[in-house]
Amino acid sequence: MELFYSIKGIWAVLIYLSPTAAAQQKPLNHHDIAPLSARPWNFNFSSSAPHYFASAYGLLQQWSNTFFPNGHSIVPCEIPPLTKLYHGRKDAEVPPSPEWVAFDIGMAYGIMGGDRNSHMLTYQTTRRTKCIYFDGESATLFGSGQLDTQMLQIWGNLSGPVRPDNGWRGLWEEYARAIGLCDWLHDKELGGPGWGFEGIVRMNAGFEMIWCNFSSPSIRLVSHLNVTAPLLPAEGDDKISAKDDDYEPTSYFPLPPSPTRSDKATDPSDPPQPPVRGREQWAREPFFPTQAWNWGASALAHYGSSANGPGLGETRVKITSCGFLSYYAPEFLSQAVPRAAEEQKTLNLTKDGLWAGPGNDGTREDALEGLKRRRRVHTLEHVTTSDAAIMRAHSERVLKDLLSPFPANCSGIDWATITNDIVQTYAAPLLTFLKVLQQYPEAHNPTAARLWFMDIRDQTHTFLVSFLQYPDSPTDSEIWTRESTLFKDTYSLCRFQYTRLLDPKQGILLGPEEELLNWAVEETLGGICSVLVDVGLSTEGIWEAHFNLPASRKTTPTKIPGLNHEVKRWTEGVEQLMSWLGWAGEWIGCDVHCEWDEKCYIPMWPIIPMGRRLPGRGRRPGGPGYDGPGYERPPMGPPNGTFPGPPRNGTWRGPGRNFNPWGPNEAGLWKPKCVKKNYILDGDPD
């Protein structure tokens, strides 16, 4: 019973502690200035709400899922008719099932091109096709958590049965996952050739899909080409090499026959290798220098939102947001409780999830950055088999509901659009607001102080213009405090700006997944609005008391009692809000506008510049949330679709966890830069 109450208490902290406590700071007015230390900002950094929200808004965005690679979510999706899909091969055969297709030709050719027998098959969807999507870098084969959600979905643990020969075996593990996921959909009657859920969407450097059955009428092969290019002449050779087969292109565009291959896929004996220098077989390939760049460039086109502005993610896949499932849901305590305990130590949090400051070993700036990036090191290594079974049951319930003509648990609300709209509304303006706060002119310059304060008031007015109704008696200082009716009314309009109509009395009933999305949106906006309404009303109070007066009564701005402390409070509130939200990728981008022949680049596995360094020699990761995790080898599983009972060793990490091939330098991730096409192969000059 004692353990029950202990877990119950932690659960309450994880879920219900408001991002800002009720007994919080009172805005400054000219009568009452409470000590700063008595009025801290109280954000619950152990809450899963901001992570749940961030996962939802980052769906299908390359940028967000590269910064936070360890996905926690399973999401139903659809692909429209006539969507092109590419499958590269090193033989002239049609693919067995399951196999991979890419949404971009650059990715497909980047993986399978540059060979002496390269073939490219182009397919198109013939109907609206259902799929499921695993977020994060869910197709990254070397890492420390990117594949966790898939492993749990198939086997209920992160290890699976023993690998063949107890060791590494090429792409055997990848085919095991593909077969396992497709068998699960088939065995649970969730999909099959021509109906239901037929593909699994994932991401590494670009978006790909595991297609479960190539005999399905949902896709049609429209071209099958031998794309092997003649080799460059060898040194001292006067002859130009031709291709190795007798393929003769035609002048028309016949459709190839529909494939009838029915055998199951197995791991290839000669798996594809990343296009990097130093391999003899690529020395004479004419398009080798651009192969990796074109692959990377195709991924960059799907960055989505960043500090460089809004952008498109993977638009050819359409999220069905009413079915959004995530291990950040409050019910999955087996992961949430140990994570909260670990972050109390590494991020200096109290048992209630409140930040206790930077501590004695670091700076405030570094500590806030660590809080902001904390989601990057989240994994699912503590999820129990029973929790994995719960997630699997939830996913089966959701997918079955979506197969019905009239799903019971889909309101029609586009939660992906709502979450992205919130991020676009607040992310960049919060950074701008913080920068202006940090420029507060403390020197005795009344003109500069007044201009600065007018800028602050302009920005807070912009934040609150659709929520704040100015009172009839603005000179009453109590009106501008947190305890006032004005604060409560303004805060309510701000926090529930998207969800006020989601009341059973309004006739809109939400299913369990949408209830969680509603919770995450309201909690996230609750944190945002708590700070912005507080600072905004405080600003209006100071303006009324010291600026909006006849000339004879105006106070010299730099002599306003307690103003320095209040500005410091505002600044710290915005800093902690941004760290609590964890939208780190939204505040990072290239510092300059890239030239016409450049791209703003972040390292994405496996398109990571090598230069002259050997694979696996990137910087070792620092503490949690600072440099982030390295890219290590994940545990793998068997080539079957079974879902056994509790495994012998529970959920555990298999051997090879420190293996780090093609590991990116973390500094390169957090400091994007403009690069030209030779950067992928050559890297930075020594």
Side-chain angles (χ1 to χ4, degrees):
M1 184 64 70
E2 182 177 342
L3 176 62
F4 169 78
Y5 282 111
S6 174
I7 293 177
K8 184 178 179 182
I10 295 175
W11 182 70
V13 170
L14 294 173
I15 306 170
Y16 292 113
L17 185 62
S18 172
T20 48
Q24 251 196 17
Q25 60 279 6
K26 184 188 295 185
L28 173 72
N29 59 70
H30 61 290
H31 295 299
D32 180 20
I33 306 172
L36 177 68
S37 60
R39 297 173 284 119
W41 297 98
N42 295 325
F43 287 94
N44 175 17
F45 285 91
S46 293
S47 170
S48 61
H51 307 316
Y52 200 97
F53 177 94
S55 295
Y57 98 75
L59 296 175
L60 293 172
Q61 295 189 47
Q62 183 81 41
W63 189 270
S64 176
N65 285 284
T66 302
F67 281 99
F68 300 102
N70 298 337
H72 283 46
S73 306
I74 306 170
V75 195
C77 52
E78 292 186 338
I79 301 169
L82 299 186
T83 299
K84 292 202 291 183
L85 305 168
Y86 303 95
H87 176 76
R89 297 189 63 79
K90 293 171 132 185
D91 58 39
E93 301 294 327
V94 295
S97 299
E99 260 290 357
W100 282 260
V101 292
F103 290 91
D104 291 299
I105 184 63
M107 184 180 192
Y109 188 78
I111 296 172
M112 285 294 189
D115 187 77
R116 289 297 80 212
N117 193 22
S118 292
H119 290 254
M120 186 62 63
L121 288 73
T122 302
Y123 292 85
Q124 279 186 288
T125 53
T126 61
R127 55 185 286 273
R128 182 168 286 273
T129 305
K130 294 184 182 297
C131 52
I132 59 173
Y133 164 57
F134 289 90
D135 71 337
E137 285 186 335
S138 50
T140 293
L141 305 188
F142 301 97
S144 57
Q146 291 92 324
L147 299 166
D148 286 1
T149 312
Q150 296 167 76
M151 300 293 288
L152 292 168
Q153 188 73 2
I154 303 167
W155 296 293
N157 58 69
L158 302 183
S159 58
V162 178
R163 296 188 287 276
D165 305 320
N166 280 320
W168 175 253
R169 186 178 161 182
L171 293 178
W172 181 87
E173 295 88 350
E174 265 290 82
Y175 282 91
R177 278 185 291 272
I179 293 171
L181 289 168
C182 290
D183 282 356
W184 163 62
L185 290 172
H186 176 268
D187 294 345
K188 295 299 178 179
E189 298 182 344
L190 298 171
W195 71 277
F197 293 87
E198 299 189 72
I200 298 99
V201 176
R202 310 186 310 169
M203 186 200 91
N204 50 47
F207 290 86
E208 63 171 35
M209 180 167 59
I210 299 169
W211 188 253
C212 287
N213 196 315
F214 280 83
S215 67
S216 169
S218 298
I219 61 171
R220 178 67 165 90
L221 180 64
V222 295
S223 68
H224 183 170
L225 305 177
N226 185 335
V227 294
T228 308
L231 290 174
L232 298 174
E235 187 174 350
D237 189 353
D238 293 332
K239 296 180 180 180
I240 298 177
S241 299
K243 296 186 298 183
D244 291 342
D245 61 19
D246 297 325
Y247 179 80
E248 295 181 4
T250 64
S251 59
Y252 54 94
F253 183 23
L255 286 176
S258 296
T260 58
R261 188 171 179 176
S262 60
D263 58 316
K264 279 207 168 186
T266 59
D267 58 309
S269 58
D270 183 20
Q273 299 170 329
V276 296
R277 291 199 189 279
R279 302 189 191 278
E280 184 178 352
Q281 68 266 35
W282 287 323
R284 295 171 56 202
E285 290 291 342
F287 303 114
F288 170 73
T290 57
Q291 186 175 335
W293 172 256
N294 289 337
W295 180 0
S298 70
L300 308 187
H302 309 298
Y303 267 165
S305 181
S306 73
N308 297 122
L312 297 176
E314 179 45 80
T315 58
R316 290 160 292 194
V317 181
K318 313 297 181 182
I319 291 297
T320 308
S321 59
C322 64
F324 178 80
L325 296 155
S326 176
Y327 276 104
Y328 281 122
E331 68 180 302
F332 296 109
L333 292 177
S334 62
Q335 181 61 58
V337 172
R339 176 182 293 152
E342 176 66 20
E343 290 185 342
Q344 288 173 22
K345 296 182 293 183
T346 59
L347 300 175
N348 201 25
L349 306 179
T350 70
K351 60 182 177 61
D352 294 326
L354 308 180
W355 185 48
N360 300 323
D361 300 327
T363 67
R364 175 181 174 84
E365 182 180 4
D366 285 344
L368 287 168
E369 201 62 35
L371 289 166
K372 194 183 299 178
R373 301 177 185 182
R374 65 195 184 278
R375 188 162 64 96
R376 180 163 171 82
V377 297
H378 288 179
T379 69
L380 297 176
E381 61 183 329
H382 295 294
V383 171
T384 60
T385 300
S386 58
D387 269 1
I390 291 172
M391 173 60 86
R392 183 163 159 140
H394 286 342
S395 64
E396 291 168 0
R397 170 182 53 78
V398 165
L399 299 184
K400 285 182 179 178
D401 182 48
L402 291 173
L403 290 177
S404 65
F406 303 101
N409 292 316
C410 273
S411 66
I413 297 169
D414 189 340
W415 293 98
T417 296
I418 288 176
T419 54
N420 275 273
D421 191 43
I422 291 170
V423 172
Q424 296 306 320
T425 299
Y426 291 107
L430 276 173
L431 180 61
T432 300
F433 190 46
L434 177 61
K435 295 295 186 183
V436 175
L437 283 170
Q438 292 170 340
Q439 294 172 1
Y440 171 59
E442 294 193 46
H444 294 283
N445 185 336
T447 301
R450 181 180 179 84
L451 290 173
W452 175 88
F453 198 88
M454 290 175 65
D455 192 358
I456 290 296
R457 187 174 184 239
D458 285 345
Q459 293 190 53
T460 57
H461 176 261
T462 301
F463 282 128
L464 302 182
V465 66
S466 60
F467 316 119
L468 172 62
Q469 180 170 296
Y470 282 89
D472 294 332
S473 301
T475 56
D476 181 358
S477 62
E478 294 301 315
I479 288 177
W480 306 110
T481 66
R482 267 188 96 86
E483 291 75 21
S484 68
T485 300
L486 179 63
F487 177 91
K488 295 174 183 175
D489 290 345
T490 308
Y491 173 79
S492 180
L493 285 168
C494 180
R495 177 174 181 169
F496 301 107
Q497 58 184 284
Y498 289 90
T499 57
R500 174 59 184 87
L501 295 180
L502 298 182
D503 182 334
K505 295 179 182 178
Q506 302 296 326
I508 298 179
L509 301 177
L510 300 180
E513 285 67 46
E514 290 192 287
E515 285 284 4
L516 282 171
L517 285 164
N518 182 42
W519 160 75
V521 166
E522 291 181 356
E523 286 293 294
T524 299
L525 283 174
I528 294 170
C529 298
S530 179
V531 172
L532 295 183
V533 175
D534 183 314
V535 175
L537 295 193
S538 177
T539 301
E540 292 296 329
I542 295 172
W543 178 262
E544 287 297 329
H546 300 285
F547 291 93
N548 198 30
L549 298 171
S552 60
R553 294 180 54 200
K554 286 182 180 177
T555 309
T556 302
T558 54
K559 294 183 179 180
I560 297 174
L563 180 60
N564 290 351
H565 284 299
E566 190 70 346
V567 172
K568 182 180 179 183
R569 183 179 75 85
W570 297 345
T571 304
E572 291 179 349
V574 175
E575 287 175 340
Q576 290 193 43
L577 169 62
M578 292 172 68
S579 290
W580 180 77
L581 291 171
W583 302 345
E586 296 299 317
W587 300 306
I588 292 175
C590 284
D591 294 334
V592 298
H593 182 74
C594 297
E595 297 294 335
W596 64 271
D597 60 344
E598 295 178 329
K599 300 287 187 182
C600 183
Y601 172 82
I602 54 175
M604 303 168 291
W605 190 92
I607 306 301
I608 297 167
M610 296 292 184
R612 296 177 183 174
R613 68 181 176 91
L614 294 176
R617 292 194 178 179
R619 274 177 54 197
R620 298 298 302 162
Y626 289 85
D627 287 328
Y631 282 60
E632 306 161 352
R633 178 181 173 183
M636 305 300 185
N640 58 61
T642 61
F643 189 73
R648 294 183 298 275
N649 298 317
T651 55
W652 61 287
R653 292 291 186 185
R657 189 149 169 79
N658 293 321
F659 184 54
N660 186 30
W662 307 307
N665 186 319
E666 284 285 318
L669 178 69
W670 299 104
K671 295 180 180 178
K673 58 185 175 182
C674 298
V675 302
K676 299 183 186 296
K677 66 180 181 180
N678 61 338
Y679 178 75
I680 303 299
L681 293 181
D682 296 340
D684 289 311
D686 292 339

